Amino acid sequence: MSPKHASTQALRIPTLAGYARRPRNRGAANGTYLQRLPLAGFEHHDARRLWPYLRTGQALLLSREFSNPVDPRAVRITWLGEHLGYLPQMDNLLASDLLDHGAEIIARIHDLRESEDPWQRISLNVYLTRKG
């Protein structure tokens, strides 16, 4: 077969390019990015026990904890029903206000680090997924 025929033959083979899964826009799937924060309370809750199972990108549920005696604006972080910790008290005003007004927000694990400092173990990206 001559080179001319080989290239013609290659053009006749159908491609699956049109059927390939299009890459998702990760930003749109997450929602509107709000802030990056460390996980507070790593050493006091289930994050230490669950550490081997946590992965970057995992979605975490954020909810208000109105009965918290230390922080009246406490935002609890859970994963698969397990309490990992909280958003830091100094930085939870935005998230607590949004949750109080019926918005849905999530966090995704941005980074996991082996560190002696519990404040550096898990960093989170917080996203607004639905306005209240």
Side-chain angles (χ1 to χ4, degrees), residues 15-125:
T15 64
L16 298 176
Y19 299 99
R21 183 179 296 186
R22 292 188 173 100
R24 290 183 359 196
N25 180 346
R26 294 188 73 106
N30 289 329
T32 304
Y33 174 81
L34 298 175
Q35 58 192 148
R36 180 171 298 148
L37 300 170
L39 175 80
F42 177 89
E43 66 278 14
H44 302 293
H45 303 287
D46 296 327
R48 181 183 302 273
R49 180 177 55 84
L50 297 171
W51 177 258
Y53 307 105
L54 299 175
R55 302 287 180 266
T56 58
Q58 285 176 327
L60 308 174
L61 179 66
L62 300 179
S63 59
R64 287 283 275 121
E65 188 176 275
F66 295 102
S67 62
N68 188 302
V70 176
D71 181 6
R73 294 187 324 256
V75 177
R76 181 184 180 110
I77 300 171
T78 57
W79 177 64
L80 300 177
E82 301 286 340
H83 182 190
L84 297 179
Y86 295 93
L87 292 183
Q89 185 174 1
M90 298 291 292
D91 299 308
N92 68 6
L93 181 60
L94 175 62
S96 65
D97 282 349
L98 287 168
L99 288 167
D100 288 349
H101 288 93
E104 290 179 4
I105 59 175
I106 64 163
R108 288 198 179 271
I109 297 175
H110 173 73
D111 193 26
L112 297 165
R113 293 187 205 154
E114 293 285 345
S115 173
E116 294 298 319
D117 182 356
W119 286 89
Q120 294 182 1
R121 297 292 299 247
I122 301 174
S123 66
L124 309 168
N125 287 335

